């Protein structure tokens, strides 16, 4: 296998990884939002104690934490729609696909950092932070490869 075909297959693998992360995290955000809308009290999912924590830590936002409906919309907007836009850019092979994926990974890590501040460390938060980190690192790898290829061509 020559060097150019090996570069091409690495590029395809990295692109596939970015598509996986954007869709996987986007679906997770959609499922999380649906859970919050199906049972706004959080009792069905044993999340109801989290509402009290949210009200206590973010008392200036108390009006939004009467139930999980607003949180579901924010989750979908911040971590769902952004991931789907990045996936769409990836499928279109748009030049901003990797930077958009990088931003999505950073957004997810910031989101989880806020959850750690509010709720403390939970296994699911740690897992999703790792997903955001892997998404960010994959996109960063793609961006650096693209820059390296541009400078080699010039």
């Amino acid at each position: 296998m020559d060097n150019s075909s090996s570069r091409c297959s690495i590029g395809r693998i990295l692109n596939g990884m970015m598509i996986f992360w954007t869709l996987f995290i986007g679906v997770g955000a959609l499922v999380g939002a649906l859970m919050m809308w199906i049972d706004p009290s959080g009792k069905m999912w044993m999340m109801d104690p989290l509402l009290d924590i949210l009200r206590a830590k973010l008392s200036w936002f108390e009006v939004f934490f009467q139930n999980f409906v607003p949180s579901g919309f924010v989750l979908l907007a911040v971590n769902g729609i952004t991931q789907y836009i990045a996936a769409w850019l990836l499928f279109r092979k748009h030049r901003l696909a990797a930077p958009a994926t990088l931003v999505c990974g950073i957004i997810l890590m910031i989101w989880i950092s806020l959850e750690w501040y509010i709720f403390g460390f939970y296994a699911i938060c740690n897992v999703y932070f790792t997903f955001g980190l892997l998404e960010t690192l994959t996109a960063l790898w793609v961006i650096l490869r693209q820059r390296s290829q541009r400078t080699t061509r010039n």
Side-chain angles (χ1 to χ4, degrees):
M1 181 184 296
D2 69 357
N3 207 13
S4 64
S5 64
S6 132
R7 267 193 304 241
C8 188
S9 62
I10 290 172
R12 272 195 295 254
I13 291 168
L14 291 172
N15 193 58
M17 288 171 63
M18 288 193 303
I19 289 171
F20 168 78
W21 287 121
T22 57
L23 293 177
F24 181 78
I25 294 165
V27 167
L30 177 61
V31 169
L34 288 172
M35 287 172 60
M36 292 180 198
W37 298 334
I38 289 169
D39 178 24
S41 71
K43 289 181 181 164
M44 185 185 301
W45 318 107
M46 294 181 279
M47 290 174 41
D48 50 320
L50 300 180
L51 279 174
D52 293 329
I53 296 170
L54 280 169
R55 285 189 208 108
K57 289 258 180 141
L58 304 173
S59 58
W60 40 276
F61 259 163
E62 187 174 340
V63 70
F64 291 109
F65 301 121
Q66 301 305 308
N67 59 46
F68 281 110
V69 171
S71 298
F73 282 109
V74 174
L75 174 63
L76 184 61
V78 173
N79 284 309
I81 293 171
T82 55
Q83 294 283 350
Y84 291 128
I85 290 170
W88 180 77
L89 291 171
L90 285 161
F91 282 116
R92 303 267 326 218
K93 298 188 185 328
H94 194 279
R95 65 182 179 81
L96 294 177
T101 305
L102 177 77
V103 168
C104 286
I106 292 169
I107 288 170
L108 179 57
M109 289 188 296
I110 291 169
W111 178 278
I112 296 300
S113 297
L114 289 171
E115 286 190 359
W116 283 335
Y117 168 74
I118 296 167
F119 305 118
F121 292 93
Y122 284 93
I124 192 73
C125 293
N126 301 343
V127 168
Y128 267 87
F129 187 88
T130 304
F131 293 162
L133 180 62
L134 290 171
E135 181 179 33
T136 300
L137 292 174
T138 304
L140 185 60
W141 189 0
V142 169
I143 291 167
L144 293 174
R145 282 186 83 247
Q146 289 170 345
R147 283 190 182 165
S148 169
Q149 290 170 354
R150 266 184 273 158
T151 55
T152 332
R153 277 186 245 146
N154 295 336

